[in-house]
Amino acid sequence: MRRASLLALLVLLACGKPPPPAPPAPPPAAATAGPEAAPPPIPVAADGRAWVIAATTLRREPSDAPKVAGPGGKQVQNVLAVLMRGEPVTLLEGRGEWARVRTSGDEPGWLRRSALLEQEGATVATVLTPADVFDRPDLLAMSPGRRLTPGALLLVVRQKPPFAEVNAGAPASAWVLADRLTTTERDVASAKLCEKARWLKRSGKEEEAKQVLALGRSAYPGAPLLEVLGQELGEPAPPPSPHLPAGPGAAPGVSPAAPPAPPPGPLGGLPPG
């Protein structure tokens, strides 16, 4: 009887023993990015403002593919428009080498980030006459053989009187004397038209460039930069004004001929150094 009681007690103790603790759950596996994973967003300029620094294509998707999937999966053209140097855009997000922007016409799309100047406080300017270029803000640092062409569309990055640092084309940056710059609406608008016409001429579309010139003259009659553009497009130089004094050795009443306009440089108006 006593032995049976002991056995019963052992059985009760065995049944009441708590189960061993469960092994800890393994840590969750790190998520692996598949081939379709998008790169993380890249911070954009604080004010969301940027400037196009070279003629570039606005696309539906961040891809060079000529066609992409549109609504309903139908293939559509990826190209939306060509934006010219000097056009302001609003940055919406950055993704790798691409940036999603909204144009001045409120059209969203993707641009290559290398075609943008993301600089807070940048302003647009131009020059009315050929302007010397400096490697740094020092009069002794003039760059021989490099000059800005009249009508060059410039993005002023910062001021260090009496100099200003300007973006003169992708990816060139230069220093100029600030008093050579003009920022008036008329001159900047003329420079934008010059930029467009010069791009068309380089693209072999000279007739379209002449149409841009005609448009500019109707909007800004007498603008000096448009006269420079006209000569670049093959128009003869205007006759000298009869009111100018004659130069040394000139016959009475005859004014010296105006010097020909310098040839346009590459984007931004900086000829190769």
Side-chain angles (χ1 to χ4, degrees):
M1 180 72 179
R2 188 174 177 184
R3 185 172 179 177
S5 299
L6 288 173
L7 287 173
L9 181 60
L10 289 172
V11 170
L12 288 173
L13 290 173
C15 292
K17 187 177 180 180
T32 56
E36 299 295 322
I42 297 176
V44 297
D47 62 356
R49 192 76 176 270
W51 302 88
V52 176
I53 58 175
T56 191
T57 304
L58 181 72
R59 301 178 183 274
R60 294 180 189 273
E61 298 293 339
S63 165
D64 288 325
K67 290 190 175 184
V68 294
K74 184 180 179 181
Q75 292 290 300
V76 295
Q77 293 293 331
N78 196 18
V79 174
L80 294 172
V82 174
L83 303 186
M84 299 305 301
R85 172 176 168 80
E87 178 158 353
V89 295
T90 302
L91 283 168
L92 303 177
E93 66 173 295
R95 188 184 299 174
E97 62 181 2
W98 295 89
R100 186 166 175 265
V101 304
R102 182 181 293 113
T103 68
S104 56
D106 213 29
E107 183 176 21
W110 292 88
L111 297 174
R112 285 200 175 274
R113 207 155 184 176
S114 58
L116 294 175
L117 173 68
E118 300 172 41
Q119 178 71 44
E120 254 186 285
T123 56
V124 187
T126 188
V127 290
L128 299 179
T129 57
D132 292 321
V133 172
F134 299 81
D135 295 326
R136 56 185 184 277
D138 189 323
L139 289 173
L140 299 178
M142 189 173 72
S143 182
R146 299 179 70 202
R147 304 191 87 190
L148 291 170
T149 303
L153 195 59
L154 308 173
L155 297 168
V156 182
V157 176
R158 58 175 170 152
Q159 300 270 357
K160 192 172 182 180
F163 290 90
E165 185 181 11
V166 298
N167 176 287
S173 181
W175 291 89
V176 297
L177 289 169
D179 62 2
R180 303 301 301 275
L181 302 176
T182 172
T183 57
T184 67
E185 181 180 355
R186 174 187 173 95
D187 291 336
V188 168
S190 298
K192 288 183 176 181
L193 292 169
C194 289
E195 179 69 28
K196 175 75 177 241
R198 287 164 175 167
W199 177 77
L200 288 168
K201 184 180 178 182
R202 290 194 299 271
S203 302
K205 302 176 180 178
E206 191 157 340
E207 288 306 312
E208 292 183 38
K210 291 178 179 178
Q211 293 174 17
V212 171
L213 173 60
L215 172 66
R217 282 175 167 162
S218 66
Y220 306 104
L225 291 178
L226 297 177
E227 298 311 311
V228 172
L229 177 62
Q231 293 180 50
E232 292 176 10
L233 295 178
E235 293 182 356
S241 169
H243 303 293
L244 292 176
V254 178
S255 301
L267 279 174
L270 272 176

